[in-house]
Amino acid sequence: MFHWLEKNPFFFSVGVFIVIAFAGLIEIVPNFAEASRPVAGLKPYSVLELAGKEVYKKDNCLSCHSQLIRPFKSETDRYGQYSLSGEYAYDRPFLWGSKRTGPDLHRVGNYRTTDWHENHMWEPTQVVPGSIMPAYKHQFTNIADIETAYAEAVTVKNVFGTPYGDEFQPSREAWEAHKPKVLAEAKAIAADMKDPGVKAAIEADEVPEIVALIAYMNRLK
Amino acid sequence: MQSNAALEYDYTVAKLFTYTAIIFGLVGMLIGTLIAAQLAFPELNYLFGEYGTFSRLRPLHTNVVIYGFTVSGVFATFYYSAQRVMKVSMAESSFIMMVGKLQFILYVILAAWMVVTLFMGVTASKEYAQMEWPLDVLTVLVWVLWGVAMFGLIGMRREKALYISMWYFIACFLGVAMLYLFNNMEVPTYFAAGGLGSMMHSVSMYAGTNDALVQWWWGHNAVAFVFTVPIVAMVYYFLPKESGQAVYSYKLSLLSFWGLMFVYLWAGSHHLIWSTVPDWMQTMGSVFSVVLILPSWGSAINMLLTMKGEWNQLTENPLIKFMVLASTFYMLSTLEGPIQAIKSVNAIAHFTDWIPGHVHDGVLGWVAFMIMAALFHMAPRMFKREIYSKKMLEAQFWVQTTAVVLYFTSMWIAGITQGMMWRAVDEYGNLMYSFIDTVTVLHPYYTIRAVAGVLFVAGFILFAYNMFMTMTASKKLEEEPQFRSPMAA
Amino acid sequence: MSSLMIKALAFAAALIVATLVVVKQMNVNLDDPINQLTLLGAVAIAVLTFGVSAKYVNQMKTDKAGGELAEENWDGIGEYKNELPGGWAYSFLGTLIWTVWYFLWGYPLNAYSQIGEYNEEVKAYQTKYEEKHTNPDDATLLQMGKSIFLVQCAPCHGITGDGMNGKAHDFTARMSKEQVLDVINNGQNQLGYPMGAMPGGMATGADAEAIAEYVAGGMKGEAPAMFAACVACHGADGTGNNGMAPNIAGYDDALIKNTLTNGKKGMIGKMPSFKTMITPVQEKALTVYLQSLVQ
Ligand code: HEM
Ligand code: HEM
Ligand SMILES: [Ca+2]
Ligand SMILES: [Ca+2]
Ligand SMILES: [Cu+2]
């Protein structure tokens, strides 16, 4: 029979396709119903946090940092409660990472603060001697793209029904009206920072990447 | 079946992809060496401003070596060997010729665009699927064109039964097509939000744990259908061809192929062990990983047995050395992977450098060795000149073998050490090491790996130079060699 | 044994020995079953891969190709109709049978849960260290405190506890003059002491300066007159009236406990709460350790 397939490429290809597609169905489909339900109290990402998540992706922090605390005593002692599926319900894409050159960050908001991140992102070795993490000084001058983050909020609300609640309904039309809210959130973060360039940018209604990134870091709890 | 003695194979497209394989290989491995050095000497992060940090460069490394080097190698060897094992020439159909050239042009545009966007930090961030949606569209196009060329050639074939290499090329085509599409389902935000923000940005159709499942269903099988299946296609063609030996056992080829096809897809969840995907799925990933050892080793053993009694070829022909060693590195990574997939072992191995160690057994010792050997075999036939220098080839073999051994042994030790340090508690039950302790202890191993990188790149430069001279300056051949590739001392 | 096999196994052995030597240096616990299984896995990888491939490569020396050729031939490549190698075939069959067995019987499809396993790990941990954690003596607490400090606190307070040039609190002294002044000027209400809020502005100008200097100096010598304003809550010796207000003369249980529970935002920056991460014994240990740091 196999030799027959080898002489009939069409059926051969169909055979290969069936064999490989079949496992996929069993592996993927059963989980879809369950896993996307958010845990109680989980809030969607704010626009500033989404912008921060983009910085996290852009500078690809996930090449060194995981966001997945495994259920081992050694990990829960180090990073806090093990991660639950429902905590990731609004993560598009998921950012678990696959390598821990640096520590896990899934709950870093619990044990690091704005001013700490400011020092650390500017020059990691100044806070953690021996650190091999690169300094991200350019995040202090690059301006975050909050308009795209807002577009993402609109998209996840419209396409995936992400529940933003009644006070905040992102939409194409409301962008100009919502922008000041995003800036206010950024101002609150920058108040705990000392970098004069960051302060000046915030005064000029611009959000440096570092501010958005820290908003995202603080949210990871 | 008519045999056409006067058939002239046309290697235009194979040559084009050979050039890109060499160029992307060099670029990708230079970046790999740089990022390896950055972990040992962090000052190297600041060579090119924000574009030079480890984190920006890491996806460039992986994408350039996978989609640039490996995939070029796959296309080049396909366009070379498919014609020959099916006894059909590209020159016989101007349509297929055009498809092949168009595929190459779009591929080069795609690759250049990929490099630029990743440097800029435009990324969907899922591993091995970082390209944003417009690039996905182009990728699909390139792939479809490859399919048209492949099935076009199959339709015209004179050899009724498909040779083993063709089974694997077909599987590569189908597997990647299916997996890539599903994993890259994403919604462009510019359009969904009615014209706000960046055109390039998108959000994944899947969230959280589901997204992770789809991603690693892809990620694992990208390993299967890019780093394994087409490379097996290569070894089945180039080793028997270079050595003049018949393949050891049809039955072994057959069971290995269908076994691999059936088992590979089930194992993807071994990337998600101890995560938030259901326990039974994780266990499925572990169990099938162990089964996967056999169909993987099947092909390697088949190739080693094909060389039975040919010790003198092994010692005298560096191309045979490359291919035999590639088969054994393939065995190494396909035993190491399954063992790392065992739940208790994964508790240590996951997230550590032992994983990149495993990865590079495969990608350096197996993928890169095989592609370089294949291109060397093709060169005298495509360019009608003998290989420029055997000495250089020998030197390259030893330098690169040393490099792979240094790479995997250093990361093996580093990973196991780090994994155990993360778990270690002192006599009172408190964590023994702060995170930074587990980082600084790795410095010597990161340094060794950087040295391995330098050696491997040095070998690759020898390869590139040797190939270049073969194409342009080496002694011309009157007649195509049947088996062993001719080479000047 | 062939020389090739000997070389292969020697390489495997060298790799394993090197791994063991390095791991041993880090004092990790090799009784941990996870560590043991990992090492066993490593041995299996090295021995099997190098051993089996040496066996086949050796056949290139010792054996001869042969068998019945199939009719087909592709670009000059022939194919033998040889049987499957026995070891391979039986192993394949064996793993397949094992899979079926494991899924249906060996692995209790619905009875296993990794969270259940975690709970058991925690229980086992508690039993194991229970004794050490009930009534530890001061030397033990000091040791414990140091190791917790290095893992949890050093990223901010520095490895020596000196606060790394003012990035976080400096434990080698109780408080700096600036920190005290900041509290005098602005008051403070975040640590959750029974006294509630401390109002700001109780002293100003030179008085405030003098008080701050006195407090930061370790409350030695004559107290400035205006310190009387503070005594009501913090006591004449500054130890805080049995935990009603913070001890401003030294580190005590209440201060550590309240800081770890509530976090603290001061003039230097902000410390987050460690409520969920530090157990009561660890808290005690940290207190003892921090007390040892003051000069
Ligand atoms: C029997 C075959 C194999 C099995 C069962 C297997 C298993 C595994 C496992 C368990 C991991 C680690 C997952 C984790 O804990 O993070 C892994 C990672 C990886 N393997 Fe394999 N492996 C196999 C063969 C190969 C081969 C031949 C290659 C390449 C040529 C390869 C390339 C990779 C890559 C690139 C990763 C890294 C994925 C990531 O980014 O996290 N594997 N493999
Ligand atoms: C000169 C040779 C090379 C060197 C020095 C090198 C170095 C590196 C380094 C340092 C990393 C990052 C590891 C980490 O994050 O800890 C990496 C990742 C990776 N490299 Fe290479 N590399 C080389 C060649 C290659 C080649 C030829 C390929 C593929 C054909 C390849 C495929 C990969 C993949 C798939 C990863 C991701 C692994 C993971 O996520 O676990 N590399 N490489
Ligand atoms: Ca990875
Ligand atoms: Ca994509
Ligand atoms: Cu995998």
Side-chain angles (χ1 to χ4, degrees), chain B residues 2-69:
Chain B
Q2 96 200 82
S3 93
N4 188 343
L7 198 57
E8 266 291 326
Y9 299 116
D10 187 312
Y11 300 124
T12 315
V13 182
K15 281 182 194 165
L16 292 172
F17 281 111
T18 301
Y19 306 139
T20 49
I22 297 172
I23 294 167
F24 286 127
L26 192 59
V27 173
M29 291 180 215
L30 275 172
I31 301 179
T33 304
L34 176 57
I35 60 175
Q38 283 174 335
L39 293 184
F41 309 102
E43 311 79 52
L44 295 171
N45 276 291
Y46 314 114
L47 299 176
F48 318 104
E50 78 172 87
Y51 308 101
T53 59
F54 176 88
S55 51
R56 277 286 173 87
L57 293 179
R58 191 188 195 276
L60 267 155
H61 166 62
T62 55
N63 282 276
V64 171
V65 291
I66 296 172
Y67 300 112
F69 170 64

Side-chain angles (χ1 to χ4, degrees), chain B residues 217-234:
Chain B
W217 181 57
W218 153 257
H220 169 69
N221 294 297
V223 167
F225 291 99
V226 178
F227 281 158
T228 298
V229 166
I231 315 298
V232 177
M234 289 178 206

Side-chain angles (χ1 to χ4, degrees), chain C residues 68 88 96 131 149:
Chain C
E68 189 193 338
W88 182 85
L96 284 171
E131 210 177 314
F149 185 86

